[in-house]
Amino acid sequence: MALVLHAAKTNKNSYKTLIAAEYSGIKVELAPHFEMGVSNKTPEFIKMNPIGKVPVLETPDGPVFESNAIARYVTRLKLDNPLYGSSLIEYARIEQWIDFASLEIDANLLFWFRPRIGRAVYLPPAEEAAIAALKRALGALNTHLASNTFLVGHSVTLADIIMTCNLSLGFSHMMPKSFTSEFPHVERYFWTMVNQPNFKKVIGEVKQTDATPPVAKKPAQPKEATKPKKEEPKKEPKKVPEKPKPEPAEEEEEEAPKPKQKNPLDLLPRSTMVLDDWKKLYSNTKTNFREVAIKGFWNMYDPEGYSLWFCDYKYNEENTVTFVTMNKVGGFLQRMDLARKYAFGKMLVTGANPPYKVQGLWLFRGPEIPQFVIDECYDMDLYDWKKVDITDEAQKERVNQMIEDAEPFEGEPLIDAKCFK
């Protein structure tokens, strides 16, 4: 008998088991045609879990309920599973963080979330207490992640799976950027995790909420029954001449689409450098790169209309695993997509041995790093930024080497080079 998970695929508690199964090579099937509120009320389901909660895992030895217990069961089906660490102390710490994820993160998120969507009574003092407790937990988690890529050891464990799934409720529904920016290491950790292939296969693309949902309105109270009035003979309604329908151009102002606000960079004086021309030159130069592309760049470059910046990752000591380091860079470039019209970038990962260095070069429209990029892309805070002095030949040569992916770069092997264009 196959393992069958009774729950909706989009349930964050289902994700724990499905992701653990992906890492462990265990086949878990979702119950076909499961419908929340219907399937979990049937006598068959109640036999598996008397209180009708989801998820429930159907196994050859009988059902298992409670999401953490199910994820543990699936993980232990594989002998010596690295998801449970490689020593007794790692095992204990994995269990420690699983409890922390449930009692400090998930519980407080739910105390905040449920009243907001009308599933519990909304009491402002209770919400304040839940938010304070959640911030205390996120602060502790942030401190731990300042010097650790994963919760335990140097690879993904069951603790990371359960922590990330619990955090996903907050990032997707409750915690906008203005809330999470106070915890940059938690942000970095969360986006690193959800972009791992096994996570992405189950969860798909994750988008951070723009705002905390408003408090759900209370349902309107039914009005008192009034005595029925005596029916009066119906009068024929007077015929009113039908007004001609307005043409589309004559629609009311409030229905007209509002003009988009211009980006401040679009209001800068015209530059002699056309960014798209440079991007095409970079992409199309296959040979003699120094003579064609690099020379072409400096011929195009307009120091009045554009600026060049070096960036160096502040926490290189964390970069002990190559694929995690490269995923971190990939995530940064994804979140920089909002600046594609105004920027060009190169990001390099270098080093013969861990910890690996992450450093980059960015070309931005305008004399400074655009403010909207600083505001919207949290990764910016994870790097030290230094404006390039193009009168300094050494800095200019460093620009050249970064654009052309020179190897070795500053005496270190080049592991990966990514381009943003």
Side-chain angles (χ1 to χ4, degrees):
M1 174 189 167
L3 298 175
V4 180
L5 189 66
H6 294 260
K9 189 181 180 182
T10 54
N11 184 313
K12 60 104 175 162
N13 287 327
S14 305
Y15 294 158
K16 299 173 187 178
T17 297
L18 296 172
I19 295 167
E22 288 294 332
Y23 274 98
S24 307
I26 305 295
K27 188 175 180 182
V28 175
E29 297 174 357
L30 282 165
H33 315 301
F34 183 90
E35 188 180 345
M36 189 64 189
V38 177
S39 305
N40 59 314
K41 305 272 186 199
T42 62
E44 293 79 14
F45 190 93
I46 298 301
K47 279 182 185 176
M48 294 191 292
N49 185 351
I51 58 174
K53 276 188 166 184
V54 297
V56 170
L57 184 71
E58 205 176 342
T59 82
D61 301 311
V64 180
F65 57 82
E66 293 298 335
S67 61
N68 290 352
I70 298 170
R72 288 179 172 110
Y73 172 85
V74 168
T75 301
R76 286 184 176 130
L77 287 174
K78 179 182 178 181
L79 294 175
D80 300 322
N81 195 331
L83 288 184
Y84 252 125
S86 57
S87 66
L88 188 59
I89 190 64
E90 284 193 352
Y91 169 82
R93 286 174 180 157
I94 288 164
E95 289 292 342
Q96 157 195 292
W97 283 112
I98 289 173
D99 285 352
F100 183 94
S102 301
L103 301 172
E104 303 295 338
I105 301 294
D106 196 40
N108 288 309
L109 272 170
L110 288 171
F111 288 146
W112 183 16
F113 175 67
R114 288 171 63 80
R116 284 259 162 183
I117 60 168
R119 290 189 186 172
V121 177
Y122 177 74
L123 299 169
E127 178 175 89
E128 286 172 20
I131 293 172
L134 177 63
K135 284 192 169 185
R136 180 170 173 264
L138 290 172
L141 181 60
N142 195 65
T143 300
H144 178 72
L145 293 171
S147 55
N148 294 278
T149 302
F150 303 99
L151 291 175
V152 181
H154 299 293
S155 61
V156 173
T157 65
L158 186 60
D160 295 302
I161 293 170
I162 291 173
M163 179 69 78
T164 302
C165 291
N166 288 348
L167 283 170
S168 70
L169 170 67
F171 275 84
S172 299
H173 296 285
M174 299 303 294
M175 305 188 301
K177 174 68 180 166
S178 57
F179 185 95
T180 58
S181 59
E182 190 180 332
F183 312 102
H185 302 296
V186 175
E187 287 184 319
R188 171 175 42 79
Y189 168 79
F190 178 76
W191 294 114
T192 298
M193 290 298 108
V194 295
N195 281 296
Q196 299 301 308
N198 286 331
F199 279 77
K200 213 164 186 176
K201 186 174 179 181
V202 173
I203 299 176
E205 292 293 333
V206 178
K207 185 179 183 298
Q208 188 166 10
T209 183
D210 295 324
T212 302
V215 179
K217 290 180 182 177
K218 291 179 182 176
Q221 295 295 323
K223 291 181 181 177
E224 287 184 19
T226 53
K227 290 181 182 177
K229 292 182 181 178
K230 287 182 182 178
E231 285 189 16
E232 292 180 11
K234 291 180 182 178
K235 292 180 181 178
E236 285 286 322
K238 289 181 182 178
K239 286 188 179 179
V240 180
E242 201 175 303
K243 289 183 181 178
K245 289 181 182 176
E247 293 297 318
E250 294 172 6
E251 287 179 3
E252 291 179 21
E253 265 184 41
E254 61 186 23
E255 294 179 6
K258 292 179 182 176
K260 285 184 181 177
Q261 272 193 322
K262 281 201 169 185
N263 189 301
L265 299 183
D266 293 328
L267 304 176
L268 291 173
R270 191 185 178 99
S271 171
T272 56
M273 183 176 195
V274 178
L275 188 58
D276 280 345
D277 288 352
W278 156 241
K279 290 179 179 181
K280 284 175 189 171
L281 179 65
Y282 173 88
S283 300
N284 294 333
T285 305
K286 306 300 180 190
T287 56
N288 206 9
F289 200 85
R290 274 266 172 167
E291 284 300 308
V292 179
I294 301 291
K295 196 172 277 186
F297 174 78
W298 291 115
N299 288 338
M300 293 179 185
Y301 183 63
D302 168 22
E304 301 298 319
Y306 284 83
S307 54
L308 281 163
W309 297 80
F310 293 128
C311 67
D312 290 278
Y313 191 63
K314 292 178 183 177
Y315 309 103
N316 281 323
E317 67 278 3
E318 296 177 4
N319 299 332
T320 56
V321 181
T322 51
F323 82 89
V324 174
T325 306
M326 290 188 281
N327 283 345
K328 192 181 293 181
V329 173
F332 174 36
L333 296 184
Q334 279 184 340
R335 291 181 283 281
M336 281 292 284
D337 197 60
L338 76 169
R340 195 166 296 279
K341 184 180 171 185
Y342 309 99
F344 170 86
K346 290 300 299 280
M347 294 296 296
L348 309 183
V349 179
T350 61
N353 299 296
Y356 305 106
K357 288 182 185 174
V358 175
Q359 45 211 322
L361 168 75
W362 286 85
L363 171 72
F364 289 115
R365 180 75 166 100
E368 301 296 331
I369 298 173
Q371 189 60 44
F372 77 92
V373 175
I374 295 170
D375 293 341
E376 298 296 327
C377 185
Y378 75 82
D379 303 72
M380 299 295 286
D381 292 336
L382 304 177
Y383 291 83
D384 286 319
W385 294 86
K386 180 186 174 185
K387 195 170 188 178
V388 177
D389 177 3
I390 62 169
T391 64
D392 182 330
E393 287 302 320
Q395 289 191 40
K396 200 169 173 182
E397 176 56 24
R398 190 170 191 252
V399 170
N400 296 343
Q401 290 184 20
M402 295 185 95
I403 292 175
E404 71 171 340
D405 305 338
E407 188 175 11
F409 179 74
E410 297 182 337
E412 298 276 5
L414 185 63
I415 297 171
D416 193 25
K418 294 185 184 293
C419 181
F420 177 90
K421 57 183 170 60

